[in-house]
């Protein structure tokens, strides 16, 4: 009785305990981790065998598997067409609670006919199911097309998006975002209708992985796109502005989602990627029309530099394009061995005056005013100094040359070197007659009708006409510059 009570107690514990999940299959064998009874029962082994045989008889490909059970150990023999069926038999057997372990002795025949027949029957069944599901698939496809068309219709309502935001780039971004949202929503509806939500999860997971890979591959493109968005919001310049971006100078034509298009001063089209524009240094000449230019002139060291400054400033103020406020001025920048360097600083309105022409004319007029007032613009002077022995040797050489040439003929060129002994010796100035001839020649040339363009400091209209033509030309790319948008 004691033994029977112990057996009953163990059985109650075994029956009350919950079955553990099946362990992984190792080398074709599987073990059931449920608690093992202390006292085996032949009736239990027979029930296990009958239960497994009944299950195998209902599954195609497992009818030829033989089952024997002893002490809760199930031995599977016989044949299966492939490894897949053998593993199915092992897993089914292992799911019974009274099975201690499974001994896999199944022979995989790998018969061509059996395997091909199984695959054929599977495909045939799938084709039948597909034919039955065709109406539902068509309904899902129609729903997807309708939702996608609605998203495209909304995204093409440009006026509506422009009312929501004055920024054209943000409006385009919102339109494209709405279109993508509608496409995803239509896909979810279609897949939900045909009961394929798991496919949607797989697609979204794969899209996430692909998105990360593509993001690294096109990071420059993404950076350029974000820069375009920021530039469209900030509006750092307008169309027709004269700007310099990273030492690239030109007049702004348009700002697209990819690049900033300039018309260079040479008349060529220049495209700068927006990523470089956003990170680069932008110098805008049009933002403030008042612009200063400078130039330097040197006068003789014996002249008074302040008097020269007054003469030059008076001549500069007589020019029509020079602004009175800020006024022109000049400073002494350097005192050299033979001259004093003066720097003149002049302001002009560059919206009405060509900067390069104005500077050229101002230099000419200042130079002539200084020369007419008696100030000389000396060239660099170099003095040669010799020691006493070398001077005597040169004098002796000169005397020998004069003696030898006296009997022949009078020399046309003197070979006497110029030797200066005093720092106060003056070099010969330019002949006054040559100066008068040069001035008369210039006056004669500049009196002609064609010379007016040389002295005209107004901007060149041809370049701006070309810019206006470029702006007026239709383009597939949206211009992100908008005069109504706030500018930083």
């Amino acid at each position: 009785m004691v033994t029977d009570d112990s057996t009953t107690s163990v059985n109650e514990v075994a029956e009350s305990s919950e079955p553990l999940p099946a362990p992984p299959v190792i080398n074709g064998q599987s073990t059931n981790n449920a608690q093992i009874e202390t006292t085996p029962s032949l009736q239990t082994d027979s029930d296990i065998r009958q239960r497994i045989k009944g299950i195998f008889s209902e599954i195609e490909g497992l009818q030829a598997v033989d089952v024997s059970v002893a002490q809760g150990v199930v031995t599977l023999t016989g044949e299966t067409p492939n490894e897949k069926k053998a593993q199915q038999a092992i897993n089914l057997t292992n799911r019974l609670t009274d099975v201690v372990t499974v001994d896999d002795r199944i022979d995989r025949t790998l018969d061509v006919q059996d395997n091909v027949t199984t695959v054929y029957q599977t495909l045939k069944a799938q084709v039948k199911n597909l034919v039955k599901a065709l109406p539902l698939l068509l309904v899902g496809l129609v729903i997807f097309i309708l939702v996608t068309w609605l998203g495209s219709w909304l995204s093409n309502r440009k006026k509506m998006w422009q009312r929501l935001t004055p920024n054209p780039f943000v409006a385009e971004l919102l339109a494209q975002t709405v279109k993508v949202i509608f496409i995803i929503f239509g896909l979810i509806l279609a897949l939900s209708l045909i009961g394929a939500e798991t496919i949607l999860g797989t697609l979204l997971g794969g899209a996430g992985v692909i998105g990360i890979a593509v993001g690294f591959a096109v990071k420059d493109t993404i950076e350029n796109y974000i820069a375009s968005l920021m530039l469209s919001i900030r509006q750092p310049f307008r169309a027709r502005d004269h700007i310099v971006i990273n030492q690239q100078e030109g007049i702004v034509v348009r700002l697209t989602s990819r690049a900033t298009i300039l018309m260079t001063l040479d008349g060529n089209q220049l495209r700068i990627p927006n990523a470089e524009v956003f990170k680069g240094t932008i110098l805008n000449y049009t933002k403030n029309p008042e612009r200063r230019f400078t130039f330097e002139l040197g006068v003789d060291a014996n002249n008074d530099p302040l008097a020269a400054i007054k003469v030059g400033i008076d001549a500069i103020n007589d020019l029509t394009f020079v602004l009175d406020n800020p006024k022109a001025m000049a400073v002494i920048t350097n005192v050299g061995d033979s001259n004093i360097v003066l720097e003149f600083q002049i302001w002009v309105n560059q919206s009405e005056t060509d900067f390069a022409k104005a500077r050229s004319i101002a230099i000419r007029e200042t130079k002539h005013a200084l020369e007419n007032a008696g100030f000389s613009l000396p060239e660099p002077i170099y003095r040669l100094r010799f020691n006493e022995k070398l001077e005597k040797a040169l004098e002796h050489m000169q005397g020998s040359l004069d003696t030898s040439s006296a009997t022949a003929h009078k020399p046309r060129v003197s070979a006497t070197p110029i030797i200066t002994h005093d720092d106060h010796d003056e070099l010969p100035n330019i002949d006054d007659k040559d100066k008068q001839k040069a001035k008369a020649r210039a006056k004669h040339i500049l009196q002609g009708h064609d010379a007016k363009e040389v002295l005209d400091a107004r901007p060149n209209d041809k370049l701006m006409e070309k810019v206006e033509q470029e702006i007026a030309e239709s383009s597939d790319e949206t211009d992100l510059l908008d005069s109504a948008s706030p500018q930083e």
Side-chain angles (χ1 to χ4, degrees), residues 300-478:
D300 191 88
N302 295 323
N303 295 327
D304 188 343
L306 294 181
I309 288 175
K310 184 180 184 306
V311 171
I313 292 297
D314 291 341
I316 290 171
N317 289 330
D318 290 338
L319 299 174
T320 57
F321 54 79
V322 175
L323 298 179
D324 296 331
N325 187 23
K327 64 180 181 180
M329 61 175 295
V331 294
I332 303 172
T333 60
N334 189 22
V335 176
D337 296 335
S338 59
N339 63 353
I340 300 174
V341 180
L342 307 178
E343 182 183 86
F344 293 88
Q345 302 171 0
I346 298 97
W347 290 84
V348 297
N349 186 341
Q350 57 184 346
S351 62
E352 302 174 355
T353 305
D354 186 277
F355 186 79
K357 289 182 179 179
R359 185 174 185 274
S360 174
I361 295 172
I363 293 175
R364 171 186 179 272
E365 295 300 324
T366 305
K367 173 182 177 295
H368 286 178
L370 291 174
E371 290 177 341
N372 293 336
F375 294 93
S376 61
L377 307 179
E379 297 178 355
I381 299 175
Y382 300 95
R383 297 182 181 275
L384 301 179
R385 295 182 178 275
F386 303 98
N387 56 32
E388 186 178 355
K389 293 181 179 180
L390 183 57
E391 291 179 3
K392 291 181 178 180
L394 291 174
E395 291 177 357
H396 178 71
M397 183 185 299
Q398 181 64 32
S400 301
L401 290 174
D402 293 340
T403 304
S404 60
S405 61
T407 56
H409 56 81
K410 188 178 294 183
R412 289 177 295 177
V413 180
S414 176
T416 303
I418 299 175
I419 303 174
T420 60
H421 300 279
D422 192 351
D423 291 342
H424 299 284
D425 292 341
E426 296 183 357
L427 295 176
N429 295 326
I430 300 174
D431 189 23
D432 292 338
K433 293 183 179 180
D434 293 338
K435 281 187 177 182
Q436 295 299 328
K437 289 181 180 179
K439 291 181 179 180
R441 180 172 61 251
K443 184 177 180 181
H444 174 72
I445 294 174
L446 295 177
Q447 282 180 348
H449 177 72
D450 297 336
K452 291 183 178 180
E453 294 184 0
V454 179
L455 301 176
D456 188 4
R458 291 178 300 177
N460 188 359
D461 296 334
K462 298 296 182 182
L463 181 61
M464 291 307 300
E465 289 177 3
K466 195 170 184 179
V467 172
E468 294 294 338
Q469 183 180 359
E470 287 281 341
I471 294 175
E473 286 182 357
S474 60
S475 176
D476 297 335
E477 299 175 308
T478 304

Side-chain angles (χ1 to χ4, degrees), residues 5 13-14 19 29 41 102 136 159 167 173 184 201 203 219 228 241 266 327 331 399 402 455:
D5 292 340
V13 173
Q29 296 183 357
S41 174
V102 180
L136 196 59
K159 292 183 178 180
N167 190 298
L173 181 62
I184 296 176
L203 291 175
K219 62 178 183 178
S228 302
D241 280 2
D266 299 329
K327 64 180 181 180
V331 294
D402 293 340
L455 301 176

Side-chain angles (χ1 to χ4, degrees), residues 20 77 161 179 192 235 250 257 298 311 316 329 361 396 470 483:
L20 299 175
T77 58
W161 300 114
K179 183 178 180 180
S192 300
Q235 298 281 324
S257 59
V311 171
I316 290 171
M329 61 175 295
I361 295 172
H396 178 71
E470 287 281 341
S483 57

Side-chain angles (χ1 to χ4, degrees), residues 254-267:
R254 66 173 56 91
L255 172 65
T256 68
S257 59
R258 297 182 181 88
T260 298
I261 302 176
L262 304 180
M263 177 69 69
T264 66
L265 302 184
D266 299 329

Side-chain angles (χ1 to χ4, degrees), residues 228-247:
S228 302
L229 174 62
M230 298 303 297
L231 288 174
S232 67
I233 296 174
R234 294 171 57 185
Q235 298 281 324
F237 42 75
R238 304 290 193 191
R240 303 173 186 85
D241 280 2
H242 183 187
I243 64 174
V244 179
I245 303 175
N246 291 339
Q247 300 180 354

Side-chain angles (χ1 to χ4, degrees), residues 38-170:
T38 304
T39 303
S41 174
L42 295 177
Q43 184 65 34
T44 303
D45 291 343
S46 177
D47 292 342
I48 292 173
R49 181 179 178 280
Q50 290 180 3
R51 180 59 174 159
I52 295 175
K53 288 294 293 183
I55 295 173
F56 286 177
S57 64
E58 298 298 328
I59 300 176
E60 185 178 357
L62 300 183
Q63 293 88 348
V65 178
D66 295 328
V67 182
S68 61
V69 184
Q71 303 292 325
V73 178
V74 180
T75 302
L76 301 179
T77 58
E79 297 178 348
T80 56
N82 50 48
E83 178 66 23
K84 181 180 179 181
K85 287 295 180 180
Q87 291 297 328
Q88 185 181 12
I90 294 170
N91 293 334
L92 289 173
T93 303
N94 192 56
R95 291 176 62 183
L96 272 71
T97 57
D98 293 329
V99 174
V100 176
T101 186
V102 180
D103 185 9
D104 179 17
R105 299 182 183 180
I106 300 174
D107 183 19
R108 285 75 164 171
T109 60
L110 301 179
D111 184 68
V112 175
Q113 183 176 359
D114 292 341
N115 287 279
V116 171
T117 302
T118 303
V119 173
Y120 171 74
Q121 292 177 353
T122 303
L123 291 176
K124 185 177 179 181
Q126 291 178 353
V127 170
K128 288 182 179 180
N129 293 333
L130 181 62
V131 172
K132 292 180 181 179
L134 276 179
L136 196 59
L137 291 175
L138 291 176
V139 173
L141 182 60
V142 170
I143 292 176
F144 174 74
I145 293 175
L146 288 176
V147 174
T148 303
W149 175 83
L150 179 60
S152 300
W153 181 81
L154 286 176
S155 65
N156 291 330
R157 306 276 71 79
K158 295 182 179 180
K159 292 183 178 180
M160 179 183 69
W161 300 114
Q162 289 176 357
R163 292 193 198 100
L164 294 176
T165 172
N167 190 298
F169 188 81
V170 176

